[in-house]
Amino acid sequence: MNPAFWKGKRVFMTGHTGFKGSWLSLWLQHLGAEVTGYSLTPPTQPNLFESADVARGMTSLLGDIRDLPALQSAMRGAKPEIVIHMAAQPLVRLSYDEPVETYTTNVIGTVHVLEAVRHTAGVRAVVNITTDKCYENKEWEWGYREDEPMGGFDPYSSSKGCAELVTSAYRSSYFNSETYAKHGVAIASARAGNVIGGGDWAKDRLIPDILQAFEKAQAVMIRNPQATRPWQHVLEPLRGYLMLAERLYNDGPAFEGGWNFGPHSSDVKPVEWIVREMAKRWTAGASWEVDSSAQPHEANYLKLDISKAGRYLQWQPAIQLHDAIGLIVDWAKARLEGADLRALTLSQIQAYQSSCLTNNHPD
């Protein structure tokens, strides 16, 4: 990643009030980008967006991606060079309760973002953020590659597979590489693993559930201790998104298509491992037990093949999972001690960025 690339770049981001969106907004602010965010109000109370005063360094617009005229007006007003689409209904369990909202947000919302891009002059790079769950999950032991079939057992996963198909159709129909000289827009989709980090208060997600229980000295209820996921600190895929956007901007269609950003195989761990490691780091008041009640279907095994990103973007995970757990616990404990959460989050971003640059340039 070239930090100098982002200085002064006009970036339009949907979903900036969410967990990942707040982290990325702060990182882009740190890099000197001119960021315009378009999103609903923060999805939880508390939330990172308000706790870290993310709006301070950007233009923050409240709006719904399902409202096409409002979205088009906002995007045209921002005059972006780069569009990062992160707005979504992101929860598997909620999708069972709210399937219509899930599909309209994740599928029609993606249509609206790409339609707004089509009618906004000056956009050069678009990164659509989907998920590792967009693949037709056969629960095999090897990682899914970018050319595997899209699928999805539950409404959330299915909606993200649909969003991938929408992105492909818009790329073929309106932003085809053969006519790139005319339209000048390069589009890619990014599929990350299970993203974890400080400042996540989402309902029915493992890390927030663990921290809320530990803070109250209660046993955290674990639904599926043997379920295995590609866990990664939030900064890992965000760096991938930034690197991908930069290459789309500079090199165009050569970097279009789907891209996986996940951990190394050694960090694909079961839920039980995560809970034990969190308890070890938290110490006092940390305990857990298995919830034996009936639960909606969730995949037991999921893994991504990240060789494409490694080969063509020179992107590799930089944080081992046990270190990621340490960052999360440090963030949570600092919050309880009254830390400035904007400064705390920016300090973790700066340390991570410096570490990546040092590792890439050992001289």
Side-chain angles (χ1 to χ4, degrees):
M1 188 181 111
N2 176 17
F5 166 84
W6 291 95
K7 188 172 181 60
K9 286 291 186 302
R10 296 187 304 277
V11 180
F12 186 91
M13 184 196 312
T14 69
H16 70 293
T17 62
F19 164 60
K20 288 174 68 177
S22 294
W23 276 90
L24 185 55
S25 294
L26 286 174
W27 198 344
L28 286 168
Q29 292 172 33
H30 170 65
L31 293 170
E34 298 177 11
V35 187
T36 299
Y38 182 91
S39 178
L40 297 174
T41 56
T44 64
Q45 285 295 338
N47 59 80
L48 181 60
F49 182 75
E50 294 172 334
S51 299
D53 196 13
V54 176
R56 188 202 310 173
M58 64 185 296
T59 300
S60 176
L61 305 175
L62 294 181
D64 194 327
I65 58 173
R66 293 170 293 186
D67 184 344
L68 179 57
L71 175 62
Q72 287 181 322
S73 176
M75 191 178 293
R76 287 172 180 166
K79 300 178 181 179
E81 302 162 274
I82 297 169
V83 173
I84 301 176
H85 174 37
M86 301 185 75
Q89 190 301 92
L91 302 175
V92 171
R93 290 171 66 86
L94 181 60
S95 76
Y96 282 106
D97 296 328
E98 300 289 348
V100 174
E101 179 183 345
T102 299
Y103 280 107
T104 54
T105 301
N106 295 351
V107 184
I108 300 303
T110 299
V111 172
H112 286 174
V113 170
L114 295 176
E115 188 67 9
V117 168
R118 192 160 76 93
H119 295 285
T120 301
V123 177
R124 292 182 56 174
V126 180
V127 180
N128 177 33
I129 311 304
T130 63
T131 175
D132 56 347
K133 297 174 182 65
C134 66
Y135 293 107
E136 181 182 345
N137 190 357
K138 300 178 181 178
E139 305 212 19
W140 51 36
E141 294 183 0
W142 52 89
Y144 291 91
R145 296 181 178 179
E146 286 84 352
D147 58 358
E148 304 280 1
M150 297 292 100
F153 181 99
D154 56 87
Y156 168 72
S157 303
S158 170
S159 72
K160 284 301 194 175
C162 291
E164 288 279 357
L165 297 178
V166 166
T167 305
S168 178
Y170 260 79
R171 183 167 49 239
S172 299
S173 300
Y174 305 111
F175 307 111
N176 197 290
S177 60
E178 294 182 2
T179 56
Y180 177 73
K182 181 179 179 180
H183 58 74
V185 181
I187 300 178
S189 60
R191 306 156 187 172
N194 279 48
V195 175
I196 57 178
D200 186 2
W201 281 278
K203 184 180 178 181
D204 291 327
R205 283 171 59 108
L206 181 63
I207 299 298
D209 287 351
I210 292 172
L211 289 174
Q212 288 177 34
F214 286 1
E215 288 172 14
K216 298 174 183 177
Q218 297 175 351
V220 61
M221 301 299 291
I222 303 303
R223 296 187 296 268
N224 192 350
Q226 298 310 312
T228 300
R229 297 286 186 274
W231 313 97
Q232 57 187 155
H233 192 274
V234 62
L235 291 173
E236 299 277 57
L238 295 186
R239 177 167 57 97
Y241 305 162
L242 294 175
M243 293 172 73
L244 179 57
E246 181 181 338
R247 298 307 294 268
L248 289 168
Y249 184 97
N250 289 329
D251 302 308
F255 287 85
E256 290 183 332
W259 296 83
N260 289 338
F261 298 102
H264 289 302
S265 295
S266 59
D267 281 338
V268 178
K269 301 287 191 183
V271 166
E272 183 176 357
W273 186 96
I274 297 290
V275 181
R276 291 185 184 279
E277 189 70 17
M278 291 281 290
K280 193 187 308 178
R281 299 271 184 163
W282 191 268
T283 62
S287 63
W288 61 280
E289 58 187 74
V290 177
D291 183 352
S292 58
S293 62
Q295 303 292 334
H297 174 272
E298 291 190 50
N300 285 309
Y301 194 84
L302 183 59
K303 182 180 175 182
L304 294 175
D305 184 316
I306 59 173
S307 55
K308 179 182 175 182
R311 178 175 180 181
Y312 296 105
L313 291 175
Q314 286 73 57
W315 177 93
Q316 292 287 342
I319 304 177
Q320 291 184 320
L321 185 54
H322 63 83
D323 293 327
I325 297 296
L327 287 173
I328 294 168
V329 172
D330 289 347
W331 195 101
K333 288 187 173 182
R335 169 183 167 268
L336 292 176
E337 293 168 359
D340 179 328
L341 296 186
R342 181 182 177 91
L344 172 64
T345 307
L346 281 169
S347 71
Q348 291 197 345
I349 290 170
Q350 292 164 3
Y352 175 78
Q353 180 180 306
S354 297
S355 175
C356 291
L357 291 172
T358 300
N359 291 337
N360 287 336
H361 301 87
D363 56 334

